[in-house]
Amino acid sequence: MTQAITLERNSFGQLIYVAPDGVRHLVTPVRSFPIAAPSEGIGLVNGDGEEVAWVTRIADLPPASREILEADLASREFIPVIERIRSVSSFATPSTWEVDTDRGPATLVLKGEEDIRRLVRPALLIADSRGINFLIRDRYALDAHSKKMLDRFL
C-alpha cells in the first residue's frame, strides 16, 4: 500500500526503502510510464533488479517520502519540457531551434524530421543531435507562433 511506504537517505545519500518489517533496502525508482503518467506506477527496485515496493501514486506518499522520491527522480532524469519555440534557423533539416523550456532557454539541433516522435496524443518527443530528449506535453497548447513553427516539421 502506497501510504505505508517509508523512504529515507543513507549517509551516502542513496535512496533507502524501509519495509514494514523494518528491513532497509537500497533502491532505485523506476517509472512505468515516464511520459504518459510520470507520477503514477513507480517500482522501487533493489540492486538485483527485483521490485521490493510499488508506489501507485506519488501524491499518496507521506510528505517526507514524497519529497525524497521526487528529488531522486529529478536528479536522474533530464527531459526538458518545451514551452515555447522562439525561432528555427531553417525549415529544412538539420535546423537549429531556440526554445524556452521548463528548465530555461535551450538550443537544440534537429537532424531530421524523424527525430520528432508522436507519443500519446497530443504529446511529442524531440531528440536533438546530442541525444537529449525534449518533450512537448500538448502541442495544441503552445502559442500560435510556436505551433506555426512546429507544424512545418510535422
Side-chain angles (χ1 to χ4, degrees):
M1 181 171 182
T2 300
Q3 290 82 357
I5 290 179
T6 302
L7 298 172
E8 56 187 41
R9 295 216 180 269
N10 65 14
S11 58
F12 298 106
Q14 298 167 311
L15 186 64
I16 302 296
Y17 162 65
V18 182
D21 61 2
V23 175
R24 288 171 154 59
H25 302 269
L26 177 65
V27 295
T28 300
V30 178
R31 294 186 201 262
S32 297
F33 306 101
I35 304 295
S39 63
E40 299 176 12
I42 298 167
L44 300 178
V45 179
N46 67 17
D48 295 326
E50 301 167 334
E51 184 178 289
V52 295
W54 179 256
V55 177
T56 304
R57 291 179 352 134
I58 292 176
D60 293 341
L61 291 173
S65 291
R66 181 175 55 242
E67 287 175 26
I68 290 171
L69 181 58
E70 287 173 338
D72 195 81
L73 288 166
S75 72
R76 69 178 73 249
E77 298 174 342
F78 184 71
I79 300 180
V81 177
I82 294 176
E83 297 172 339
R84 181 172 179 257
I85 302 170
R86 285 186 278 129
S87 67
V88 173
S89 66
S90 166
F91 292 113
T93 54
S95 63
T96 303
W97 296 27
E98 297 290 332
V99 298
D100 292 331
T101 73
D102 61 337
R103 297 176 186 246
T107 301
L108 65 102
V109 176
L110 183 70
K111 292 185 298 187
E113 288 151 7
E114 65 276 2
D115 291 331
I116 301 175
R117 290 176 277 174
R118 287 177 167 79
L119 302 175
V120 176
R121 197 174 179 110
L124 300 170
L125 192 65
I126 301 172
D128 86 335
S129 62
R130 296 166 296 182
I132 297 173
N133 288 311
F134 290 81
L135 177 66
I136 296 178
R137 289 198 191 282
D138 182 352
R139 71 183 204 189
Y140 303 114
L142 293 172
D143 63 275
H145 175 75
S146 298
K147 281 191 246 183
K148 183 178 178 182
M149 301 266 222
L150 182 61
D151 285 345
R152 299 246 180 146
F153 292 92
L154 296 178

